[in-house]
Amino acid sequence: WRGQRQKIMKIKINEIFFSLQGEGTQVGIPTTFVRLFGCSLRCSWCDSMYAVEGDDYKEVKVQELIADIEKIKCKNICITGGEPLHQKEELVFLTNILLEKGYRILLETAGHIRPMDIFKNSNVLISMDCKCPGSGMDKKTNLSLLKELEAKDQIKFVIKDLKDYEYAKNIVLKNFFKAQVIFQPVYGSNLESLVNMVLKDNLNIRVVPQIHKIIWGDIRGV
């Protein structure tokens, strides 16, 4: 019965497209993006609200989604949202098949839901947010989940202003994380100011702006 159910299992997807990875440690790598639909958070700076609420999605069989992914002929996959971990069973099924087919996966998640064990696979990079006050969702972050991440993974702080920077700095200095730490400025904020603060405080982190927005602007599907 489980096998039969998996054959007809459907997943809510907002969009699929081919572009450069614009964020984090894999920045600049050609990637197929699979944007799943739905999220329980409402970050103030969210740039994909169309994948968070409303009806801009379709339910497709997981096998049909995989067929669409294979047409793009790129072995790097970014599963994003929304919040992909809201569709747990469907996501595990999708991920398992992709790994069997030799894909390398980056999972983007918001830091309030524990990723399933399949994402410990060495061919998966978990990119987990630590929400800062500027998002309005800082109380939702589960620090224990960030501490569970491995050296292959990354923790992303989206920095809007000085308050966000001081908040992020405090967490980085007071906690030990095995994962790599990224400070990502909100698009349109002062990148130079953020870099200068990081250098002044000599933080052991990376500053990585969203290069896809530098190239194409804040538009959908890139």
Side-chain angles (χ1 to χ4, degrees):
W1 161 242
R2 181 172 176 82
Q4 285 296 110
R5 186 170 185 274
Q6 287 179 335
K7 285 182 181 178
I8 61 172
M9 185 178 290
K10 292 186 175 182
I11 190 166
K12 290 182 179 178
I13 178 172
N14 171 262
E15 60 183 346
I16 176 172
F17 59 94
F18 181 56
S19 187
L20 290 184
Q21 176 57 254
E23 304 178 359
T25 58
Q26 293 189 348
V27 66
I29 296 176
T31 302
T32 298
F33 290 82
V34 179
R35 188 181 301 283
L36 303 187
F37 183 83
C39 183
S40 57
L41 302 187
R42 296 294 184 273
C43 297
S44 64
W45 38 252
C46 180
D47 56 5
S48 56
M49 280 302 294
Y50 53 87
V52 170
E53 58 187 18
D55 57 5
D56 189 0
Y57 68 91
K58 56 184 177 180
E59 283 191 273
V60 301
K61 290 181 181 178
V62 172
Q63 301 286 9
E64 293 174 355
L65 175 57
I66 290 167
D68 288 339
I69 289 170
E70 290 183 314
K71 290 175 186 175
I72 297 176
K73 301 186 185 304
C74 174
K75 284 297 184 180
N76 301 305
I77 303 288
C78 177
I79 301 176
T80 186
E83 171 52 73
L85 293 178
H86 283 315
Q87 300 187 70
K88 285 190 175 182
E89 189 176 0
E90 298 87 348
L91 181 57
V92 168
F93 182 44
L94 170 65
T95 301
N96 188 55
I97 295 174
L98 290 174
L99 289 174
E100 286 178 354
K101 289 179 175 288
Y103 285 89
R104 295 172 294 273
I105 297 171
L106 188 155
L107 172 74
E108 293 191 333
T109 182
H112 63 301
I113 303 173
R114 176 172 280 104
M116 294 72 83
D117 284 347
I118 194 170
F119 295 107
K120 294 178 181 177
N121 187 289
S122 59
N123 283 320
V124 177
L125 187 160
I126 300 173
S127 179
M128 185 176 289
D129 288 354
C130 183
K131 301 296 185 184
C132 295
S135 71
M137 295 286 120
D138 50 299
K139 298 295 190 291
K140 299 291 186 180
T141 295
N142 185 340
L143 264 181
S144 66
L145 299 184
L146 301 176
K147 292 178 180 179
E148 291 174 9
L149 295 177
E150 301 172 14
K152 69 179 181 63
D153 302 318
Q154 65 186 27
I155 297 168
K156 185 173 67 181
F157 293 83
V158 178
I159 310 290
K160 184 178 181 181
D161 51 27
L162 178 60
K163 183 178 179 181
D164 278 0
Y165 173 77
E166 293 294 340
Y167 178 87
K169 180 179 76 170
N170 186 53
I171 288 178
V172 168
L173 294 177
K174 288 188 174 182
N175 294 277
F176 172 73
F177 300 119
K178 295 190 288 291
Q180 300 176 77
V181 176
I182 308 292
F183 279 15
Q184 177 180 296
V186 170
Y187 180 65
S189 62
N190 192 318
L191 174 59
E192 183 179 355
S193 175
L194 174 59
V195 170
N196 287 338
M197 288 188 290
V198 169
L199 293 175
K200 176 178 176 292
D201 293 327
N202 196 21
L203 297 183
N204 184 28
I205 61 97
R206 292 189 191 187
V207 177
V208 185
Q210 296 173 293
I211 69 157
H212 57 295
K213 293 185 179 178
I214 294 172
I215 297 168
W216 293 293
D218 190 7
I219 62 174
R220 178 173 172 172
V222 297

